[in-house]
Amino acid sequence: MKAIRAAVPSGFPVTLKLGIADAQPGLTAEETLARCPDLVAAGVDAIEVSVNVMGAPSDSAKTYVAVGPRRAAEDLLVHRLLAQPGPEAYFDDWARRVRQAVDAKVILVGGLRTTQSMEGVIASGDADFIAMARPFIREPDLVSQIQAGRTGRVDCTSCNLCLRHEGHHSLRCWRTPRKRLFEHAIYRFTGGLGRNLLSTKSH
């Protein structure tokens, strides 16, 4: 971190996405939080909190965040019609603890799916900035929409179909347009990439 700080122009912000704790036995939050002041002293301007070693992608990219029955019906998530929505801002406790440990900006990622929760995180002081990933796959212009006044829930259902195709197909939302759900079903039930059936290029 000292080498990075020395290599960038003066005043240029250096941010760090930091795995606070392992999702399985290993690194603890207490260990990481104790090291955060040293990172800030070495030149980190902002810390984005995340999970460290994972057992499954869903340890970081949790599923069906803020998806209630109505949203499940709209996006053909039949198996979620009677299920409770996944929680939003699931790394918020870590952000709060980093805030208490260091004098640096804090960035919160992880399950921010409504503008109300985004505003709440900033208003509470738990984080200075919010970050998203999967929602931009479905709505690349989401920030512009929110800036223009959009409120409420984003379109991403956190179904993680995009992650299931990682390494096989280019990054995309498999829920829109609807024909992609059919293409996904072909991929899943043939047990292969469906190269002859899908108009995609594997890599």
Side-chain angles (χ1 to χ4, degrees):
M1 186 50 60
K2 290 178 180 178
I4 293 171
R5 181 74 275 173
V8 300
S10 176
F12 190 91
V14 176
T15 67
L16 173 67
K17 188 168 185 177
L18 186 62
I20 303 298
D22 291 345
Q24 49 198 350
L27 181 71
T28 66
E30 288 69 26
E31 291 178 275
T32 302
L33 290 167
R35 293 175 180 136
C36 284
D38 292 335
L39 290 167
V40 173
V44 171
D45 295 300
I47 295 174
E48 179 176 343
V49 298
S50 188
V51 70
N52 201 54
V53 175
M54 300 180 293
S58 57
D59 289 332
S60 173
K62 297 189 183 300
T63 55
Y64 307 114
V65 177
V67 175
R70 179 176 177 178
R71 190 72 187 90
E74 290 171 349
D75 237 317
L76 306 182
L77 292 161
V78 179
H79 63 295
R80 298 293 303 180
L81 290 175
L82 301 178
Q84 291 296 312
E88 291 191 73
Y90 40 77
F91 294 141
D92 187 49
D93 179 62
W94 285 344
R96 190 180 304 113
R97 295 174 70 181
V98 169
R99 163 75 78 211
Q100 295 168 353
V102 297
D103 182 17
K105 300 297 184 183
V106 178
I107 305 168
L108 179 64
V109 72
L112 291 153
R113 297 293 183 270
T114 64
T115 56
Q116 292 88 341
S117 67
M118 299 173 198
E119 292 168 353
V121 165
I122 301 301
S124 70
D126 290 347
D128 300 284
F129 301 95
I130 63 163
M132 291 180 284
R134 289 171 291 171
F136 296 132
I137 300 172
R138 185 160 180 167
E139 298 180 276
D141 64 339
L142 180 57
V143 171
S144 296
Q145 292 184 44
I146 293 174
Q147 189 176 29
R150 175 179 171 178
T151 60
R153 198 191 181 289
V154 305
D155 287 351
C156 177
T157 61
S158 308
C159 67
N160 283 356
L161 292 187
C162 53
L163 298 183
R164 294 187 64 177
H165 288 264
E166 189 173 18
H168 301 303
H169 299 101
S170 59
L171 185 63
R172 72 196 69 175
C173 176
W174 288 83
R175 309 206 75 84
T176 181
R178 287 284 191 238
K179 68 176 184 178
R180 285 188 181 163
L181 277 176
F182 175 69
E183 293 174 349
H184 165 72
I186 294 174
Y187 169 83
R188 180 177 178 184
F189 292 115
T190 60
L193 299 180
R195 292 187 184 91
N196 296 327
L197 296 172
L198 307 184
S199 57
T200 57
K201 182 179 180 182
S202 62
H203 48 142

